[in-house]
Amino acid sequence: MAATERLFFALLPPPAIQAELGRLAAWCERRCGGRAVVPENIHLTLLFLGELAPGQVEAVCRAPAGLRVAPFEVRLERIEYWPRPRLYCAVPLQPLAAAAALAAALQQAVRDVVAVPARPFSAHVTLLRRPRRLQELPMPPIAWTATGFCLMSARRVDGELHYVPVESWACA
Ligand code: 2AM
């Protein structure tokens, strides 16, 4: 049987913002222990699809073709601790309506290919997993303009997790 791929749609910040969020993640790790997300893996998940077979991957790549998405601002202003997945993440102060709308549109677009459990979208960028100490973590606001979105594949290479863009779409 052909190998499956673990896929998700995401916003990728521009490299300078990824680096800034990566420095913030490393600072969180120094304060709380745990494992910081490395800068090149920093992303904002729009829709997690799970393990897909090769035929499904091709269909998912075709699915967003008709979507028209205007560029929108992503502004992260606060670090939250989420106890269930045990992670610290950077979140906006107000819900990101444009990202939520894009996530919903993607879920609709792929509905004939993959049934994604309906779960409320909550914009966040994971910074640190499995902290050993909990504390208040302040952050400076970090913002960028999203000009597109990607289909990402989570792959393990030599034991290291890499998030690799498989396909990308530009805002119009
Ligand atoms: P997150 O860090 O934004 O929460 C690849 O596995 C990415 O998909 C992870 O970084 C995680 O993104 C998200 N993810 C993993 N498992 C998930 C699940 N069961 N539901 C929703 N998102 C998930």
Side-chain angles (χ1 to χ4, degrees), residues 34-60:
R35 193 156 182 161
V37 177
V38 294
E40 55 272 28
N41 278 350
I42 294 271
H43 67 279
L44 189 156
T45 301
L46 291 166
L47 184 67
F48 180 71
L49 301 173
E51 298 285 335
L52 299 191
Q56 289 178 298
V57 177
E58 287 158 25
V60 162

Side-chain angles (χ1 to χ4, degrees), residues 8-165:
F8 56 104
F9 285 105
L11 299 178
L12 275 187
I17 299 290
Q18 266 189 326
E20 198 175 345
L21 286 163
R23 283 193 294 276
L24 183 62
W27 175 80
C28 294
E29 184 186 284
R30 288 195 293 279
R31 300 210 36 183
C32 299
R35 193 156 182 161
V37 177
V38 294
E40 55 272 28
N41 278 350
I42 294 271
H43 67 279
L44 189 156
T45 301
L46 291 166
L47 184 67
F48 180 71
L49 301 173
E51 298 285 335
L52 299 191
Q56 289 178 298
V57 177
E58 287 158 25
V60 162
C61 284
R62 288 191 297 270
L67 292 186
R68 292 288 167 268
V69 184
F72 58 92
E73 189 188 50
V74 179
R75 188 175 180 84
L76 307 173
E77 303 200 59
R78 192 174 67 219
I79 296 179
E80 280 185 353
Y81 178 63
W82 289 8
R84 272 271 282 206
R86 282 187 67 206
L87 54 82
Y88 276 105
C89 54
V91 299
L93 291 184
Q94 304 297 332
L96 278 185
L102 175 54
L106 287 169
Q107 181 151 8
Q108 274 297 308
V110 302
R111 70 185 183 284
D112 292 338
V113 186
V114 48
V116 183
R119 52 157 64 198
F121 172 75
S122 192
H124 67 284
V125 169
T126 301
L127 298 173
L128 182 70
R129 299 185 195 282
R130 292 185 290 284
R132 290 195 297 274
R133 301 174 291 281
L134 299 186
Q135 53 183 289
E136 287 287 308
L137 296 172
M139 71 172 278
I142 296 178
W144 74 93
T145 301
T147 56
F149 60 95
C150 298
L151 180 66
M152 310 284 294
S153 173
R155 296 179 187 163
R156 274 212 179 267
V157 181
D158 297 332
E160 296 288 331
L161 190 58
H162 295 269
Y163 297 148
V164 182

